[in-house]
Amino acid sequence: MNATVKLSADKAECWVATQNLEASLAALSEASGLPLAKCEIHRHDLGGGFGRRGGTQDYVHQAVAIAKEFPDVPVKMIWSREEDQAHDFYRPISVCKMSAGFDEKGEMVGLHVRSSGQSINAWVNPTGIVGAKTNASFKAGGRPPVTRSSATRCRTC
């Protein structure tokens, strides 16, 4: 984990690879004591975050705490792999089974996905789960919410 933070009296900036820009911005504001309007996140391209750089922003909080000791100087905080593993947040096990149908041209004509596991929202946003359903999923497209264990069929992929 790593984050670079520069704090001044009227601005807080953070350069970080994050899966949740809004959470990083909120963490920067909270830890620095500056309002959101005076905070800025510069997000790097990310590969292989696997959820670790999404929910908790402990690395942003720590980088801000260090940067407070060095006003107006960019401070880069880097955790070793061992430090990251010692303070990681692990998800429970889950399973996914997928099967697909193809036509004679090799094009997919059907897809069946069955997955079971704890919703990430059970930990990140427990108030978003109502009646064992994660209500935030697929609302924009008008599709029904995703349930904790669901089967989905697609006939035209």
Side-chain angles (χ1 to χ4, degrees):
M1 303 305 289
N2 61 298
T4 301
V5 174
K6 181 179 178 186
L7 295 177
S8 63
D10 64 343
K11 187 172 184 179
E13 292 181 271
C14 180
W15 291 261
V16 64
T18 182
Q19 291 172 275
N20 189 339
L21 187 128
E22 293 84 1
S24 296
L25 184 62
L28 179 62
S29 175
E30 179 183 334
S32 69
L34 292 170
L36 287 171
K38 295 188 179 234
C39 295
E40 186 173 0
I41 296 291
H42 305 277
R43 188 171 85 183
H44 307 305
D45 287 335
L46 172 70
F50 306 108
R52 174 65 174 101
R53 293 181 176 269
T56 65
Q57 299 292 316
D58 50 348
Y59 49 96
V60 172
H61 281 275
Q62 186 177 19
V64 171
I66 296 167
K68 283 181 175 180
E69 301 297 318
F70 304 94
D72 299 311
V73 176
V75 175
K76 185 170 188 172
M77 186 271 313
I78 303 174
W79 288 357
S80 68
R81 184 170 298 276
E82 292 79 11
E83 289 170 318
D84 184 23
Q85 292 297 310
H87 303 293
D88 209 344
F89 301 90
Y90 301 99
R91 293 186 182 180
I93 194 168
S94 62
V95 66
C96 179
K97 179 182 178 184
M98 301 173 71
S99 57
F102 299 89
D103 64 15
E104 55 281 343
K105 293 187 272 183
E107 295 186 17
M108 188 184 303
V109 294
L111 175 66
H112 182 249
V113 178
R114 186 174 185 98
S115 64
S116 179
Q118 182 179 349
S119 167
I120 186 69
N121 284 321
W123 177 65
V124 174
N125 181 24
T127 60
I129 298 177
V130 179
K133 294 182 180 181
T134 304
N135 290 326
S137 300
F138 300 116
K139 271 191 173 176
R143 293 180 232 152
V146 174
T147 60
R148 189 165 170 247
S149 177
S150 63
T152 308
R153 292 182 188 270
C154 173
R155 292 292 178 214
T156 56
C157 297

